[in-house]
Each structure stands twice: as structure tokens, then as C-alpha cells.
Amino acid sequence: MDTLIKKSSTNTENTMTSLTGDIPFYKPLGKEEEVFKHAYGCRIPVLLKGPTGTGKTRFVGYMAHKLNRPLITISCHEETSSTDLIGRFIIKGAETIWMDGPLTKAIKIGAILYLDEIAEARPDVIVAIHSLTDHRKELYLDKLGETIKAHKDFMLVASFNPGYQKGFKELKPSTRQRFVALSFNYPSPKDEAEILVNETQLEMSVTKKLVGIANKIRNLTELGLTETVSTRLLVDAAKLIHSGLPKRLAVRVAVVEPLTDDVEITESLADLCDLMI
């Protein structure tokens, strides 16, 4: 029997965010919402730059709800290839079936495609998206010999941490200049405390102490930490405290321990935090 070729779509259920339910909480800290809406209207891709845990992913989810568009998120890593994004042939019984990847599906349905930590992906991923980041707005499927024009509502969003492994995980200028860019950083103490209250319902007096701890550690540059205290870590600590875990223990397991495996630094940070909460 001759092998048949059929087309299908990959199951992207695990990467597609449903827009049902309440809009995710996000506190705008500048003009990022306005810029994103205009970029969406002009069909210009957006690059979100900033440290881990500063709200980049939450912001994309928030904007997807605001714009009423499905969101497909890809968490990039060193093994993420263009085939993973575009699609591949698979054998199913006597048939050879083409399976759309999440990028191809997003283009067809007009979703927002979010490439989280794009600098971690392999170079062929960057090459694959180039034709989607300029005037062409199309994707060439070399295995099918087809070119797909992007749906009018399709939007490409990417993020990366410019400070992480600097010199090793950087985006080329030719890639950066295909995006409009928004910089994210840690909120002001007042805004960060408000975010914690909204996320966890923990009382303001305690969230202010958590923010104070975070800012103290963020300023300890001499420790040489690869990452510092993110708002995400503070949210975790606040949730644990609100659930009844003792404050000092919650800060240790949610803030201090994730930062380092160095025993001396861990103990020094734990002692510092104990004095502040």
C-alpha cells in the first residue's frame, strides 16, 4: 500500500492559554500597555527585556486577555529547534502525517506567540522567524514547499534576560532591530508591595518587610549572585506566609535558598533576613 501524506495539527494544549476566566493581575509601571497595543495594531513584533521574575510573562498573558487573542507560549532552551516550532512529519500506521508546530498554528489562527527566553534557543530558530519580523509576515515550510502568510491578528513576542551569562546568551543586533523593545525591571518598593498584596492578600505591613529584604539583597552586588531576588520569589514567600508558615522559614525557603547553593552565603542571607522580618 502506498504511504499517504496527510496534514494535521500538533496538540498545543499545553502551550496555549485559554482566555476564559479572570484577567491576570498586572500593574502597569510605565507605558508598556500603550506601546504593546500600538505594536499589535501596526503588526510589529515586541521584545521584552529584563531580569528573571520581573513580570514579562505575566504582562504577555495580561495583554492577550486585553486584546482577546489566544496565547501560545514556548519556553526556549538550548535544544529548541526550528522543527519544534514549525512542525514535522510523523508516521501513523500506513500514513505519513504532517503535524503543525506551535509557530505554524499561531500563524494560522492569529494567536500571540510568546518565545520566552529566545536567546536560549538554537540559531535556526532565529533564522526561521526572520520572515515573520519584517514586511513579509510569512513563514516558509521547506518540508512542504509551502509559504504561509500570517493571519492579520498574529503577533510575535519574545523575551530575554540581557544580564544572564552575558557574552554567551546575547541576541545579535540584526535580530534585536527586528523588534520594538520594552525594558522590565523591579518595581518601586511601593508598587512591589502593592503587587504582593494583590497576588496573595497578605497584609501590607508584612509585604513591605519582604520588599525591604529584596532590595537589601539586590544591593549586595559583592556576593556575585547569578540572579537576585525577583518579584516572583517574593510572591512565593508571601503565599507561604499567608498560608500560615512562619515568616522567617518562608523567607528562607522561598527567597534565600533558591538564590545560591553556597552554604556560607545562604547562612549570611538567612541571618540578614531574620533581622528584617
Side-chain angles (χ1 to χ4, degrees), residues 6 8 10 81-90 97-101 143:
K6 291 187 176 182
S8 184
T10 49
S81 68
S82 59
T83 298
D84 295 324
L85 268 64
I86 294 172
R88 54 169 51 89
F89 285 109
I90 66 168
I97 299 176
W98 170 259
M99 302 288 285
D100 282 342
K143 294 179 180 178

Side-chain angles (χ1 to χ4, degrees), residues 140-211:
Y140 179 63
L141 306 180
D142 58 337
K143 294 179 180 178
L144 294 177
E146 295 180 7
T147 297
I148 302 176
K149 285 287 186 181
H151 189 285
K152 64 180 180 63
D153 294 326
F154 169 75
M155 185 178 191
L156 178 64
V157 183
S159 72
F160 88 114
N161 180 352
Y164 177 66
Q165 294 186 340
K166 192 171 180 62
F168 297 94
K169 300 290 186 179
E170 291 291 325
L171 286 177
K172 293 181 179 179
S174 59
T175 300
R176 285 170 173 259
Q177 293 178 23
R178 292 172 175 271
F179 295 80
V180 298
L182 286 167
S183 291
F184 283 68
N185 213 322
Y186 302 111
S188 69
K190 178 178 180 296
D191 287 333
E192 196 161 30
E194 184 181 333
I195 289 169
L196 296 184
V197 170
N198 275 278
E199 284 288 303
T200 68
Q201 288 74 56
L202 186 65
E203 58 266 29
M204 180 65 77
S205 60
V206 181
T207 65
K208 286 182 176 179
K209 291 180 180 180
L210 291 174
V211 171

Side-chain angles (χ1 to χ4, degrees), residues 121-154:
R122 288 171 23 178
D124 59 313
V125 170
I126 307 298
V127 173
I129 66 171
H130 271 187
S131 60
L132 290 167
T133 57
D134 58 27
H135 66 282
R136 291 171 288 178
K137 296 292 185 294
E138 63 186 26
L139 178 67
Y140 179 63
L141 306 180
D142 58 337
K143 294 179 180 178
L144 294 177
E146 295 180 7
T147 297
I148 302 176
K149 285 287 186 181
H151 189 285
K152 64 180 180 63
D153 294 326
F154 169 75

Side-chain angles (χ1 to χ4, degrees), residues 52-53 192 196 210 214 218 227-240 250-251 253-259:
T52 299
E192 196 161 30
L196 296 184
L210 291 174
R218 289 166 186 166
E227 296 281 358
T228 190
V229 181
S230 67
T231 304
R232 181 186 300 138
L233 292 185
L234 295 185
V235 169
D236 290 343
K239 286 179 178 178
L240 292 174
V251 170
V253 299
V255 176
V256 176
E257 293 285 356
L259 292 179

